[in-house]
Amino acid sequence: MTTITDTTPATEITETTDAAGRDPHITTTGRRSVVVRPGILPPAGPKVWVDACHVDRLVPGRGVAVLLPGARQAALFLQPTGMIYALDNLDPFSGAAVLSRGLTGDHGGEPTVASPLLKQVFSLRTGRCLDDDAVAVATYSVRVVDGVVRVGLTA
C-alpha cells in the first residue's frame, strides 16, 4: 500500500467526448476505460492520499472493498456515469464490513447503496442513511492519478 501526502485539490474531469468526437469511455481496442468524475470532491485542507486499486478493477454498479491505514476499510463504487464514490465499508446497523457488497441504485437522483444484510439504504455522496436520519457512514474523497484510484484521508 502506498501512502502519499498532498495538499493539492483533486481535479474533476467532465469531458464527454474527445477532440475527435469519440466517446472516451471506449478505447480503440474496444476495452472500456473510465473518465473519472470523483463523486465527492475533497474539502480544503491537507489529505493523505492512499492508493486503493487500479481503476480497471472497478465495475460499474458494483462495490470493491479496500484496506486503509489503521485497520479501516472503504467501499469504492463506480457508477455507470463514471462517478467514483468511497464510503466506510462498515454497516452501522449490523457491525459487519459488508457495504461494498451492497446493491447500488438511485433514490430520487441520489446515488445509493443498500446494505446486503438489513437493507438500509445509504447515500453514496453524503453517507447519510435514507432510512434513519440519525445514522450515517463516513465518506472519503476520491481521485484517480495515472489510473490508480486514491482515497483521501484527513491528515
Side-chain angles (χ1 to χ4, degrees):
M1 179 181 336
T2 303
T3 303
I4 300 166
T5 302
D6 186 4
T7 59
T8 58
T11 302
E12 184 173 2
I13 301 170
T14 58
E15 295 95 9
T16 55
T17 59
D18 65 11
R22 294 181 298 244
D23 182 346
H25 291 95
I26 306 296
T27 63
T28 55
T29 63
R31 184 174 178 185
R32 188 177 195 295
S33 63
V34 177
V35 171
V36 179
R37 296 179 180 93
I40 302 168
L41 293 177
K47 295 277 181 207
V48 175
W49 292 95
V50 178
D51 288 357
C53 67
H54 197 275
V55 73
D56 288 343
R57 296 280 186 174
L58 301 179
V59 176
R62 309 252 338 245
V64 172
V66 297
L67 293 175
L68 300 175
R72 292 181 287 177
Q73 292 184 26
L76 296 178
F77 295 94
L78 171 63
Q79 295 298 96
T81 61
M83 301 290 276
I84 299 175
Y85 297 95
L87 51 92
D88 195 79
N89 195 33
L90 192 66
D91 178 347
F93 292 95
S94 68
V98 295
L99 290 181
S100 62
R101 297 179 184 181
L103 300 172
T104 60
D106 181 280
H107 183 77
E110 182 75 18
T112 61
V113 62
S115 171
L117 296 180
L118 301 174
K119 309 302 185 233
Q120 284 85 5
V121 178
F122 298 89
S123 165
L124 289 176
R125 286 191 288 198
T126 65
R128 181 177 64 88
C129 179
L130 302 182
D131 300 314
D132 184 344
D133 288 335
V135 178
V137 294
T139 58
Y140 301 101
S141 302
V142 176
R143 70 179 180 184
V144 176
V145 177
D146 297 327
V148 176
V149 179
R150 292 185 175 163
V151 175
L153 306 174
T154 304

